[in-house]
Amino acid sequence: MVVRVRAYRFRAYCSNTTARVLKTQLEKACKLYNTLLHAEQEEYEKNKRTMNKTELRQLALDLRKRNTEFQALHSQVAQQVAERFYQARQRFLEGLANKPKKKKPHRYLSLVYPQSGWKLSDVREVGLGKNKKKRRARLYLSKIGFFTLILHRELPLERVSQVCVKLDPSGRIHVIFLVEEAETLGQSSKEPKNAVGVDLGITRLATLSDGRYLENPKPLERSLERIRMLQRTLSRKRFLSNNWLKTKTKLAKEHEHLKDFRRDLFFKLGALLAQEYDLLVLEDLDVQGLIQSGTKKRRLRLHDSSFSELRRILEWEFLKRGKLVLPVPAYNTSRECFLCGGINRNLTLEDRVFHCAHCGFSLDRDLNASLVLLKRAGWVPPAVPAVELHPIPPLPALGLVGRHGGVMRQEAPPFMAG
Ligand SMILES: [Zn+2]
């Protein structure tokens, strides 16, 4: 039996006092992290050795005992800081990451409670109508205080292995429960009847091999524009000054808005595809075609993280329903002709239409790519592809309700007011 760790993430609300306590604790944890980093460096210079996990944890506890400042932290939280430093250093030693650096307080934003120091109580139903399953609960974190959680999904409380409280840069708070679950997702034994190839892109978020596509929605474009503007503003402010921090928070809010909007959209697209198809064919994970020059590069940076998220969400929606996902090599997908397999080397990023010099075939560039993916999955593409493209109508109109019920919520629910 495969056991995997799944994260359950909930929005949390607290009083201003509790929020201030959380912020102070994050500062202390950051300071502790930097102290450990410093101690490790000294140890290395003196004795040419690195400390192991137990030593680091013990050191964190000793520091907490000696220093009243660190006593604000729960002892397990302090050990968890050591654990985090240890993991960062291990990743560096294994060549997977850069050397751990001194952390800046505005970047240290989460605390972890491993087994004890937290308690969930007072779970009650609050949802109405289609939100009927929604419940509210109180979470007590030792040394910090009480939080109100909105439980929008079932939480297997008895299997929670650790609790993490996370302050978003915009000031929102989330609580993440890690739960160890037996892997229940079986691959279906049924032979898949129909397959869809999906090409992910920038101008169009997704182009399906059946000729439909999902445009970059207008709110998303506007959000991207605002982010670019704020980034310019931020670069003119003095680093870590008050105005810099203010702009930084604004920017963080916009980033989060964008992220939520995307997630919501991706889940809806995933649900739509998984309802219609048995097999999903995607490009393999190493993000291709991101080697670009100049201003384009910056534009792409806003997108590339969302590609992997879209992929993850689409995969999840299929696997959840016991359906199949097949990643195929992405190499040259946009340059290959799906009909004859000829390669068009002259195709540039600006070309929206693919012309094949070998067989004379022309087709929309992204549609051709999605058909190539399907072919690489061993699927016989339709003899005559859909030559005309159709936009997917705004997804809520399809009667699909996403995780957020199709409505973005920025403010606290009414029962939290006052
Ligand atoms: Zn051709």
Side-chain angles (χ1 to χ4, degrees):
M1 194 173 65
V2 187
V3 176
R4 60 180 291 162
V5 178
R6 186 148 283 149
Y8 287 72
R9 186 165 166 267
F10 302 108
R11 179 79 187 267
Y13 301 90
C14 66
S15 68
N16 288 340
T17 320
T18 311
R20 262 201 304 279
V21 175
L22 175 63
K23 270 182 200 146
T24 322
Q25 293 230 354
L26 286 167
E27 280 162 25
K28 305 282 180 234
C30 180
K31 204 165 174 191
L32 180 59
Y33 184 96
N34 291 336
T35 313
L36 289 170
L37 177 80
H38 188 71
E40 161 86 13
Q41 278 166 349
E42 279 193 338
E43 176 71 14
Y44 187 77
E45 270 159 34
K46 235 192 279 167
N47 304 323
K48 292 281 170 249
R49 64 180 284 274
T50 54
M51 282 186 268
N52 63 30
K53 200 196 284 191
T54 327
E55 285 172 299
L56 282 166
R57 289 177 77 115
Q58 193 53 51
L59 180 59
L61 286 180
D62 290 347
L63 284 166
R64 182 174 174 271
K65 215 171 267 170
R66 267 184 276 148
N67 196 331
T68 43
E69 194 180 13
F70 296 140
Q71 270 157 28
L73 297 169
H74 187 265
S75 66
Q76 289 213 347
V77 173
Q79 289 192 52
Q80 193 59 42
V81 174
E83 177 90 27
R84 184 184 294 192
F85 171 67
Y86 172 79
Q87 299 294 353
R89 199 198 64 200
Q90 284 313 101
R91 277 197 301 278
F92 162 65
L93 292 177
E94 284 160 28
L96 298 171
N98 289 331
K99 196 167 179 175
K101 278 190 301 195
K102 219 175 144 187
K103 284 211 187 271
K104 298 241 168 27
H106 74 281
R107 301 287 293 273
Y108 201 99
L109 294 170
S110 62
L111 295 175
V112 175
Y113 285 75
Q115 295 108 29
S116 62
W118 60 275
K119 192 174 177 348
L120 196 71
S121 62
D122 201 16
V123 182
R124 61 176 76 167
E125 284 174 21
V126 286
L128 293 168
K130 69 179 179 194
N131 286 330
K132 209 156 192 168
K133 275 192 219 139
K134 223 174 229 182
R135 286 165 311 145
R136 163 167 86 116
R138 251 166 116 65
L139 175 73
Y140 174 69
L141 291 179
S142 171
K143 302 244 179 191
I144 301 180
F146 285 98
F147 294 85
T148 301
L149 302 192
I150 309 300
L151 305 177
H152 60 275
R153 60 191 284 208
E154 209 64 52
L155 172 70
L157 194 58
E158 63 290 347
R159 283 186 311 230
V160 172
S161 61
Q162 68 177 39
V163 180
C164 171
V165 56
K166 187 163 186 263
L167 177 69
D168 292 341
S170 68
R172 293 195 306 188
I173 297 169
H174 282 98
V175 170
I176 299 139
F177 294 89
L178 288 191
V179 175
E180 283 167 13
E181 281 181 355
E183 183 70 271
T184 48
L185 305 169
Q187 294 274 334
S188 78
S189 48
K190 265 194 309 193
E191 192 64 20
K193 278 197 213 54
N194 48 14
V196 63
V198 180
D199 178 67
L200 307 179
I202 290 166
T203 8
R204 284 187 214 126
L205 277 181
T207 307
L208 316 185
S209 53
D210 60 11
R212 289 182 297 171
Y213 65 87
L214 187 65
E215 199 87 59
N216 236 339
K218 279 270 145 43
L220 204 67
E221 302 257 332
R222 273 201 292 276
S223 202
L224 282 169
E225 199 41 59
R226 268 198 299 272
I227 286 177
R228 275 180 216 124
M229 195 193 75
L230 283 168
Q231 242 147 18
R232 280 197 295 273
T233 316
L234 184 72
S235 66
R236 285 195 293 268
K237 309 269 186 243
R238 193 161 45 82
F239 185 55
L240 290 181
S241 69
N242 265 341
N243 280 326
W244 184 87
L245 284 169
K246 258 188 234 160
T247 314
K248 188 87 183 158
T249 310
K250 257 192 218 161
L251 186 60
K253 274 195 181 140
E254 201 55 52
H255 266 296
E256 273 160 29
H257 173 75
L258 176 75
K259 210 167 124 197
D260 288 347
F261 186 89
R262 268 191 184 137
R263 275 175 73 84
D264 187 52
L265 187 70
F266 293 172
F267 272 108
K268 283 173 183 159
L269 179 67
L272 172 76
L273 292 181
Q275 273 168 21
E276 294 180 10
Y277 292 98
D278 299 331
L279 173 68
L280 170 73
V281 183
L282 289 168
E283 290 172 21
D284 213 348
L285 214 106
D286 48 336
V287 180
Q288 61 135 20
L290 293 179
I291 313 133
Q292 307 270 323
S293 59
T295 51
K296 259 222 180 93
K297 206 168 189 175
R298 192 170 286 154
R299 224 170 90 84
L300 282 164
R301 204 167 296 148
L302 286 174
H303 291 276
D304 52 5
S305 66
S306 75
F307 280 151
S308 43
E309 179 160 41
L310 174 56
R311 185 179 284 118
R312 229 178 21 249
I313 290 172
L314 292 184
E315 279 178 2
W316 165 243
E317 287 289 323
F318 271 71
L319 294 176
K320 189 167 81 177
R321 291 173 172 82
K323 297 184 169 188
L324 295 167
V325 180
L326 196 62
V328 295
Y331 180 69
N332 253 351
T333 38
S334 53
R335 288 186 174 165
E336 188 178 314
C337 169
F338 107 92
L339 263 188
C340 70
I343 305 284
N344 180 353
R345 292 206 186 282
N346 303 324
L347 197 78
T348 65
L349 265 169
E350 280 69 37
D351 293 334
R352 299 312 311 158
V353 178
F354 177 89
H355 293 289
C356 180
H358 304 267
C359 67
F361 180 75
S362 330
L363 191 64
D364 175 82
R365 171 211 182 91
D366 298 334
L367 180 56
N368 176 63
S370 69
L371 287 162
V372 171
L373 289 174
L374 209 55
K375 202 171 145 188
R376 286 186 188 176
W379 206 262
V380 184
V384 186
V387 182
E388 273 186 29
L389 290 170
H390 302 282
I392 296 176
L395 287 166
L398 294 162
L400 292 166
V401 178
R403 285 159 56 93
H404 303 284
V407 185
M408 297 287 300
R409 177 174 243 163
Q410 288 297 318
E411 77 287 5
F415 57 83
M416 290 297 304

